[in-house]
């Protein structure tokens, strides 16, 4: 057969395959993207921690984007003549600032001031009538965290060293998004944080068998095509709900090399550990994923409060800009500046950096995932990011 005759056979076959691919794509987009968008907008029956307002601290209001007024409370340290640092507490979806303090209020005993606030459309903060929040982090939540940092910077006792961000679930994603946009954050601690894109992909695979008629084709569908469907669904949802979703993985990469401690429950029924590992893999060292056995979503502190405090305290001993008054001097470690009441009166006195009693990573590998179980210190190494490694597990993936 001549080359010309072969082309007459090959060209129609190639054109037919292209037309079939286009038809398949149009079919999936028109049939399944609306379904994915509806699932994406589904909010599980969360039971967020909501606690009554305390009569302590200084309650303030401060502006955020859209002319919305947020409510927050500044809580001073309980002991120590010198302030060790200031932590901004970002609550979970549907939770309030007082419930978020349940996880971190003990930092005040170490010399930290805390500033907890309510996101827009939550707690005592104003609501934006044009925005319908979900469990996914958007630019609105990131803007609210940045507004909290801007408020702290406007205070006469603003910390010249910057701030620690502590976020729970969606609040953790918002904290990472804010840290990527301002250098006034020196570190981040999250509990149950998750990325939008990767969690949605696992969610899609989990429910695909329910909605796809020809299930035999699912193993042959590449991840890039699933990502395309998810991207279109997010675009549709963002237009309808008046928001833009945050690429939390990209934000985690951009906040490096500032330190990040990610805490996650091994039995998380909403966000499996594989998703947390994928998110942690975006960031460069120093960062650590600490897995708490038997803990469900946002329940790591309740399962192991002693281990929860220990891992955070060790993280702060290594990375906080200052240390409490009662820490011993180690002449072999570099020094850190002591506290100052205002940015304009920065002191020249240094406080030594001590070596933590327990290493942040037992194997001295900043990529490691640790466990609070003393009989199993290292669960698994954090591998470089690879979206194709994410697979649904036996847990119901409802993303929260």
């Amino acid at each position: 057969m001549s080359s010309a005759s072969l082309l007459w056979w090959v060209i129609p076959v190639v054109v037919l395959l292209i037309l079939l691919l286009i038809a398949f794509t149009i079919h999936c987009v028109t049939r399944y993207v609306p379904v994915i968008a509806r699932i994406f907008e589904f909010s599980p029956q969360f039971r967020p921690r909501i606690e009554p307002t305390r009569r302590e601290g200084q309650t303030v209001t401060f502006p955020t984007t859209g002319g919305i007024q947020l409510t927050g409370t500044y809580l001073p340290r309980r002991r120590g003549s010198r302030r060790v640092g200031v932590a901004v507490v970002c609550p979970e979806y549907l939770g309030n600032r007082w419930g978020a303090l349940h996880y971190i209020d003990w930092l005040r005993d170490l010399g930290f001031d805390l500033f907890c606030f309510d996101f827009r459309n939550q707690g005592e903060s104003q609501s934006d009538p044009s925005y319908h929040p979900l469990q996914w982090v958007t630019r609105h939540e990131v803007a609210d965290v940045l507004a909290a940092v801007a408020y702290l910077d406007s205070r006469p006792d603003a910390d010249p060293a910057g701030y620690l961000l502590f976020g729970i679930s969606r609040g953790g994603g918002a904290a990472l998004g804010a840290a990527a946009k301002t250098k006034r954050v020196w570190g981040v601690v999250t509990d149950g944080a998750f990325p939008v894109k990767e969690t949605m992909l696992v969610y899609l695979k989990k429910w695909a068998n329910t909605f796809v008629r020809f299930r035999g084709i699912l193993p042959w569908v590449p991840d890039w095509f699933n990502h395309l469907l998810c991207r279109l669904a997010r675009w549709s949802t963002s237009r309808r709900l008046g928001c833009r979703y945050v690429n939390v993985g990209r934000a985690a990469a951009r906040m490096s090399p500032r330190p990040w401690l990610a805490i996650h429950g091994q039995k998380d029924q909403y966000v499996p550990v594989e998703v947390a590992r994928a998110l942690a893999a975006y960031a460069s060292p120093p960062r650590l994923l600490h897995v708490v056995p038997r803990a469900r979503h946002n329940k790591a502190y309740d399962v192991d409060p002693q281990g929860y405090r220990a891992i955070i305290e060790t993280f702060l001993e290594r990375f906080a800009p200052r240390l409490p008054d009662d820490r011993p001097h180690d002449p072999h470690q570099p020094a850190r500046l002591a506290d100052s009441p205002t940015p304009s009166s920065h002191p020249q006195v240094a406080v030594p950096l001590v070596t933590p009693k327990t290493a942040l990573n037992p194997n001295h590998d900043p990529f490691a995932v640790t466990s609070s179980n003393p009989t199993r210190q290292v669960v698994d190494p954090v591998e470089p990011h690879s979206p194709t490694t994410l697979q649904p597990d036996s847990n119901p993936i409802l993303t929260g």
Side-chain angles (χ1 to χ4, degrees):
M1 181 180 295
S2 65
S3 299
S5 301
L6 183 62
L7 287 177
W8 279 107
W9 284 99
V10 171
I11 292 176
V13 171
V14 172
V15 171
L16 179 61
L17 291 175
I18 293 175
L19 292 176
L20 289 175
L21 179 60
I22 293 174
F24 176 76
T25 302
I26 294 175
H27 170 74
C28 291
V29 169
T30 56
R31 179 177 177 84
Y32 295 116
V33 166
V35 175
I36 297 171
R38 288 198 300 270
I39 297 175
F40 184 73
E41 296 174 17
F42 171 74
S43 180
Q45 297 299 314
F46 293 116
R47 293 182 179 179
R49 183 177 293 276
I50 299 177
E51 295 187 2
T53 301
R54 300 184 188 179
R55 293 185 177 180
E56 62 175 319
Q58 178 189 6
T59 298
V60 300
T61 59
F62 56 97
T64 186
T65 55
I68 305 298
Q69 292 291 318
L70 304 181
T71 300
T73 302
Y74 193 95
L75 297 160
R77 60 194 178 278
R78 293 194 182 96
R79 71 178 183 87
S81 60
R82 181 176 61 248
R83 183 177 62 184
V84 176
V86 179
V88 181
V89 184
C90 310
E92 62 186 301
Y93 170 61
L94 298 180
N96 68 351
R97 65 189 190 278
W98 302 109
L101 281 178
H102 167 77
Y103 301 85
I104 209 72
D105 188 56
W106 54 271
L107 277 184
R108 297 168 64 193
D109 297 324
L110 298 182
F112 273 83
D113 291 356
L114 300 183
F115 183 67
C116 56
F117 73 98
D118 292 325
F119 286 107
R120 69 183 75 194
N121 297 57
Q122 289 187 198
E124 299 178 22
S125 292
Q126 285 186 350
S127 293
D128 183 353
S130 65
Y131 172 49
H132 178 68
L134 293 172
Q135 63 270 26
W136 310 97
V137 59
T138 72
R139 294 190 178 183
H140 291 313
E141 285 76 40
V142 172
D144 292 350
V145 179
L146 292 173
V149 172
Y151 162 74
L152 291 174
D153 274 342
S154 71
R155 292 173 58 98
D157 59 351
D159 195 326
Y163 309 99
L164 171 72
L165 300 184
F166 174 83
I168 306 161
S169 193
R170 188 189 69 171
L176 291 170
K181 291 181 173 294
T182 176
K183 297 300 183 182
R184 293 293 291 146
V185 173
W186 58 258
V188 176
V189 177
T190 62
D191 184 344
F194 57 92
V196 177
K197 183 172 65 175
E198 283 77 8
T199 309
M200 189 178 183
L201 179 62
V202 175
Y203 200 179
L204 172 64
K205 292 181 177 181
K206 176 69 177 181
W207 292 97
N209 288 328
T210 305
F211 297 98
V212 176
R213 181 178 301 177
F214 304 104
R215 301 172 185 173
I217 199 174
L218 292 177
W220 301 95
V221 178
D223 271 350
W224 68 262
F225 189 80
N226 289 327
H227 274 298
L228 173 64
L229 297 180
C230 290
R231 181 185 293 270
L232 292 173
R234 290 195 301 272
W235 175 80
S236 173
T237 298
S238 64
R239 293 193 61 184
R240 184 163 51 254
L241 300 182
C243 62
R244 292 189 66 180
Y245 299 102
V246 174
N247 189 327
V248 182
R250 183 181 301 170
R254 288 179 176 176
M255 71 158 286
S256 300
R258 288 167 291 171
W260 169 32
L261 169 62
I263 301 173
H264 208 84
Q266 190 181 44
K267 297 296 184 180
D268 194 319
Q269 73 274 32
Y270 298 130
V271 185
V273 174
E274 288 79 4
V275 174
R277 291 182 64 250
L279 176 58
Y282 274 102
S284 300
R287 58 94 170 86
L288 181 80
L289 173 60
H290 180 67
V291 179
V292 181
R294 302 182 303 279
R296 294 183 176 271
H297 192 61
N298 300 346
K299 300 298 182 183
Y301 182 78
D302 297 333
V303 168
D304 184 16
Q306 183 176 2
Y308 195 96
R309 295 185 182 190
I311 192 66
I312 294 179
E313 185 172 358
T314 303
F315 175 84
L316 296 176
E317 286 179 340
R318 180 172 176 181
F319 295 111
R322 294 176 297 273
L323 290 171
D325 296 328
D326 57 356
R327 300 290 169 159
H329 174 69
D330 185 347
H332 301 290
Q333 296 294 332
R336 286 186 268 191
L337 291 175
D339 193 13
S340 62
T342 63
S344 59
S345 59
H346 206 291
Q348 300 301 318
V349 180
V351 178
L353 169 64
V354 301
T355 303
K357 294 180 180 179
T358 57
L360 189 63
N361 179 350
N363 293 337
H364 304 287
D365 177 10
F367 284 79
V369 182
T370 70
S371 166
S372 60
N373 187 343
T375 63
R376 186 180 50 154
Q377 287 296 322
V378 177
V379 177
D380 197 15
V382 176
E383 300 294 341
H385 172 65
S386 175
T388 58
T389 61
L390 287 176
Q391 298 292 338
D393 61 4
S394 58
N395 294 328
I397 311 303
L398 298 179
T399 65

